[in-house]
Amino acid sequence: MQPSTDAQVRDMVHRRRRRRRTVLVSLAAVVTVLGAALVGAGLVRATDTEPGDAPEEVPAGVAADQAGLVTSDGPVRVDLYLDYLCPECRITEKALAPELRRMQERGEVRVVHHPVAFLDDRSAPAGYSTRAASAAACAADQDKFEPYTAALFDEQPPEQGPGLDTDRLVALGRDAGITGASFERCVRDGTYRPWVTYVSDVAASSGVALTPTVKVDGKRVELSGPDRAKDFVRAVEESRS
């Protein structure tokens, strides 16, 4: 996969925000680490139009501000901002998953996931990031958000393609252990697409400009090196001390 150019990322983010008329977009640098492009990079500046109220339909487990999904509770808060089309997000999710699972089982961290759709314009037709994040929210209703997220990243499609189709998004639910018809209906109806838009707007208006972004107790943690898991664990331990 070729790294995204500054011009491509600028155009992607600008067109998405211009259509929504909620924020103005200017470009931050595209960060390349060890030859992998960090896509989803943009500096988003809020205008006088702030995100509106959360939509009426939100998935199970939403945080108090309804802009994220809480999957565990503990003394240290971990916020994860991921886009399902972002290659660096896939790498980060895979690197952190074992440590996160261990910390969650021990009750050490309060994990809040923010499935954003910054890269909607990087699929053709546009919108895969929103479709995937909405499906993940449907999985949250079945208490399967994290295994479904892992499945989405396992089959992450390339940029500039159509992304996984609806049938495959539904099938991944079965692979993640979801049974019953309500999940499929939720995915096919796009029930949580407005919520994904809300999550993305809140993230942008709060200064989250890159995917992936990981925060520990509100402080962004740099996880671009080869030892992401170790850097993450260190940040959590420092926050606890």
Side-chain angles (χ1 to χ4, degrees):
M1 179 179 295
Q2 295 298 317
S4 303
T5 66
D6 286 1
Q8 288 172 324
V9 176
R10 182 186 299 110
D11 183 62
M12 170 198 69
V13 180
H14 178 71
R15 284 186 288 112
R16 178 180 186 274
R17 294 299 171 185
R18 183 180 56 200
R19 287 199 310 267
R20 303 281 318 293
R21 297 180 181 179
T22 54
V23 292
L24 295 176
V25 177
S26 62
L27 179 71
V30 175
V31 182
T32 302
V33 180
L34 300 177
L38 178 59
V39 295
L43 177 59
V44 184
R45 178 171 62 85
T47 67
D48 57 354
T49 302
E50 295 297 326
D53 295 335
E56 291 184 4
E57 292 190 273
V58 297
V62 290
D65 64 359
Q66 297 188 317
L69 289 167
V70 181
T71 57
S72 66
D73 203 9
V76 177
R77 174 163 173 155
V78 175
D79 288 273
L80 304 173
Y81 297 83
L82 303 176
D83 187 306
Y84 289 111
L85 194 59
C86 162
E88 280 289 309
C89 295
R90 175 181 57 81
I91 295 170
T92 297
E93 191 274 337
K94 296 303 179 187
L96 300 190
E99 292 297 340
L100 273 174
R101 189 177 305 113
R102 177 183 62 81
M103 292 177 179
Q104 288 174 305
E105 290 173 351
R106 296 181 180 181
E108 297 173 349
V109 290
R110 176 180 176 83
V111 178
V112 184
H113 298 266
H114 307 266
V116 299
F118 289 172
L119 299 182
D120 264 345
D121 287 355
R122 299 296 290 176
S123 59
Y128 174 72
S129 292
T130 292
R131 291 197 298 112
S134 176
C138 293
D141 284 346
Q142 311 297 324
D143 197 26
K144 295 290 184 180
F145 176 82
E146 289 175 314
Y148 190 80
T149 284
L152 282 173
F153 281 125
D154 282 341
E155 295 196 18
Q156 185 181 68
E159 291 180 313
Q160 306 300 350
L164 304 180
D165 63 21
T166 301
D167 287 343
R168 189 58 192 152
L169 291 175
V170 171
L172 286 180
R174 293 193 292 268
D175 295 345
I178 298 174
T179 59
S182 60
F183 171 75
E184 178 173 354
R185 184 165 55 251
C186 180
V187 174
R188 294 193 183 280
D189 290 348
T191 299
Y192 294 125
R193 291 187 190 186
W195 178 75
V196 173
T197 295
Y198 175 75
V199 172
S200 301
D201 286 348
V202 171
S205 68
S206 66
V208 175
L210 300 171
T211 55
T213 288
V214 178
K215 294 182 179 181
V216 174
D217 277 343
K219 181 179 180 181
R220 183 180 174 186
V221 181
E222 178 58 52
L223 298 175
S224 59
D227 295 322
R228 301 177 195 221
K230 290 182 180 179
D231 293 341
F232 172 70
V233 171
R234 184 181 304 112
V236 173
E237 291 177 345
E238 289 175 354
S239 186
R240 293 177 60 187
S241 62

